[in-house]
Amino acid sequence: MNPIASRILVGVVVAVSLVLGGCARKPEKELQDARDAIKELEDAGAPQYIPDDWNRINASLKEAETKIDEKKYKEARELLLKIVEEANLLKSKAEEEAKKTGGTTATGTTARGTTSS
């Protein structure tokens, strides 16, 4: 192989490696989104009103963080996206449970759906 063709081939291999390596980026935004969603879930009263769901979603977050530590970014990203989706669903569930029991969430929602003073 002539030197020019060899250099072109090396350049192509390097470019392909960079493109493929970029697909396996650390899911930092997804992790922050999941943490934010869990914080909103906490503010909705999840630890008090739906403790089993609260514990399960926090365990899922720890599992995702472990996958990130193991550089299993694709698996972590998929899990983090599911956590955000589930947290959004559970937020409504926690608020409903708070209303049923006449409790108040951290956001001030009371049993009647009004803001406490």
Side-chain angles (χ1 to χ4, degrees):
M1 185 180 282
N2 71 40
I4 294 175
S6 179
R7 287 184 184 166
I8 291 172
L9 180 60
V10 168
V12 169
V13 169
V14 168
V16 169
S17 297
L18 289 174
V19 168
L20 293 177
C23 294
R25 68 171 178 80
K26 189 174 180 179
E28 293 174 7
K29 180 186 181 310
E30 293 86 349
L31 179 59
Q32 188 59 52
D33 290 346
R35 287 178 175 157
D36 291 345
I38 289 175
K39 175 65 175 132
E40 288 180 21
L41 184 58
E42 181 180 24
D43 291 346
Q48 180 178 356
Y49 298 111
I50 53 170
D52 292 340
D53 293 318
W54 172 252
N55 292 333
R56 189 180 72 252
I57 202 164
N58 275 288
S60 294
L61 179 62
K62 287 186 189 336
E63 181 183 348
E65 290 169 337
T66 298
K67 289 186 182 302
I68 291 170
D69 291 342
E70 295 170 348
K71 300 197 183 328
K72 296 179 180 177
Y73 297 145
K74 182 180 177 187
E75 292 175 38
R77 181 173 290 106
E78 290 170 1
L79 184 54
L80 291 165
L81 293 173
K82 288 178 186 176
I83 289 169
V84 170
E85 184 178 323
E86 184 176 3
N88 290 329
L89 295 172
L90 290 174
K91 181 179 174 190
S92 297
K93 183 178 177 181
E95 289 170 344
E96 285 301 314
E97 289 299 316
K99 286 178 186 179
K100 286 181 190 176
T101 62
T104 302
T105 66
T107 57
T109 303
T110 64
R112 292 181 299 281
T114 60
T115 303
S116 59
S117 300

